[in-house]
Amino acid sequence: MPTSIALLLSAIVLALPAAAADVTMAFGEKIPPFCFPQTNSGIELEVIGEALKYRGHVLKPQYFPLARVPVAFKAGQVDAAMTSLGEDATAMGGHFGNPAVLYDNVLITLASRHLVINKPADLKGLTVISFQGAVNRYPEWLGALKELGNYTEQNDQALQVKTLMMGRFDVVLSDRNIFHYFTRQLQNEGFAILPVEEHSFTVLNPQDYRPVFRSKQIRNDFNAGLQQLKATGRYRAIYEKYLGKDGFVPQ
């Protein structure tokens, strides 16, 4: 066989997608509306599952406490992980995919309070409720409040919305869409929802939310599927299924 033909055939083989595979992937135990373990549903699961399906792969989610998600990947328990939690994928034996979803944390206050929050000092004298582990992630904003006893962490993020509406806390630190999701849920239950304001306090970095794959080819297939979801509008439709048309949809 002439060398040129052999090279051409090799290039074609390399360009073909990997054989369809089951992809076990580590997810956090419960992150509404991104992940609902009891029904294997949620924005993140549906986006990743449909992106993998584009080239025939089948997502098989497994659930762990969030801090153990990268640990499960490193230990070889799964083929992929929703996040590396800031660790280097190469060192973990994996390959980063493009971000499937984004978590955009903001400070949220009642609009009627007319609070201005541009720097950590602006939180002085205010009480803040946040998700678990936030003080370790944003020590410059929350460390002093914790020392003064003005800071609480609560994993039940529906309770965060309730306590803000009831005036028990001045500020909620939450992902925009998680807060929006629970606001919609409580409103549907007849709970009184007041107007709020969002205060950005950190720069959103999409690279912080990339899934990790052990197989480079499956990573490439996932990226192709994700691009297709966005091009066809299916990506936005998945977000709107859980958040309505008022949710924040990453571009």
Side-chain angles (χ1 to χ4, degrees):
M1 180 184 295
T3 301
S4 59
I5 296 177
L7 290 173
L8 177 60
L9 290 175
S10 296
I12 293 173
V13 169
L14 289 173
L16 292 174
D22 288 349
V23 181
T24 59
M25 190 168 194
F27 289 88
E29 286 180 321
K30 185 180 180 183
I31 316 174
F34 294 99
C35 177
F36 296 94
Q38 65 273 25
T39 54
N40 287 334
S41 62
I43 295 172
E44 193 157 16
L45 267 81
E46 291 197 27
V47 167
I48 291 176
E50 292 193 22
L52 287 170
K53 187 178 178 181
Y54 178 64
R55 287 191 172 163
H57 307 301
V58 178
L59 176 66
K60 301 289 185 179
Q62 294 186 17
Y63 303 100
F64 301 84
L66 186 59
R68 290 197 55 80
V69 167
V71 175
F73 181 82
K74 286 189 290 186
Q77 294 176 253
V78 292
D79 305 314
M82 62 175 279
T83 178
S84 69
L85 287 180
E87 294 192 49
D88 177 57
T90 303
M92 296 168 63
H95 307 275
F96 280 125
N98 292 330
V101 300
L102 298 180
Y103 292 87
D104 188 9
N105 293 323
V106 294
L107 299 169
I108 301 168
T109 61
L110 293 179
S112 61
R113 297 286 305 278
H114 303 292
L115 294 174
V116 177
I117 304 175
N118 295 318
K119 57 186 182 299
D122 294 334
L123 293 176
K124 184 178 180 180
L126 301 178
T127 54
V128 177
I129 184 169
S130 185
F131 56 85
Q132 290 184 336
V135 70
N136 299 322
R137 190 168 186 179
Y138 306 111
E140 69 279 15
W141 284 86
L142 306 174
L145 292 174
K146 182 179 180 181
E147 290 181 8
L148 292 171
N150 290 343
Y151 174 74
T152 299
E153 292 188 349
Q154 171 57 249
N155 198 42
D156 181 354
Q157 293 189 265
L159 190 58
Q160 294 176 3
V161 179
K162 286 183 179 180
T163 53
L164 180 70
M165 297 300 157
M166 297 169 67
R168 294 180 181 175
F169 286 90
D170 300 310
V171 184
V172 168
L173 193 162
S174 175
D175 167 74
R176 297 168 65 187
N177 280 331
I178 291 175
F179 188 89
H180 180 70
Y181 171 79
F182 282 112
T183 296
R184 280 167 52 89
Q185 294 296 305
L186 291 169
Q187 196 166 32
N188 290 338
E189 295 170 10
F191 192 87
I193 298 297
L194 303 173
V196 298
E197 289 183 341
E198 295 180 354
H199 311 263
S200 297
F201 70 101
T202 185
V203 178
L204 178 64
N205 183 1
Q207 303 309 304
D208 290 340
Y209 303 102
R210 295 174 293 171
V212 181
F213 298 87
R214 201 170 305 282
S215 163
K216 185 176 181 180
Q217 183 60 61
I218 291 178
R219 186 277 310 273
N220 292 345
D221 291 345
F222 163 79
N223 284 347
L226 182 61
Q227 183 177 10
Q228 178 71 4
L229 289 181
K230 292 185 175 183
T232 60
R234 177 58 185 158
Y235 184 81
R236 172 172 288 277
I238 292 172
Y239 263 83
E240 291 183 354
K241 172 182 175 180
Y242 291 91
L243 298 168
K245 296 187 180 296
D246 298 328
F248 165 66
V249 182
Q251 299 302 313

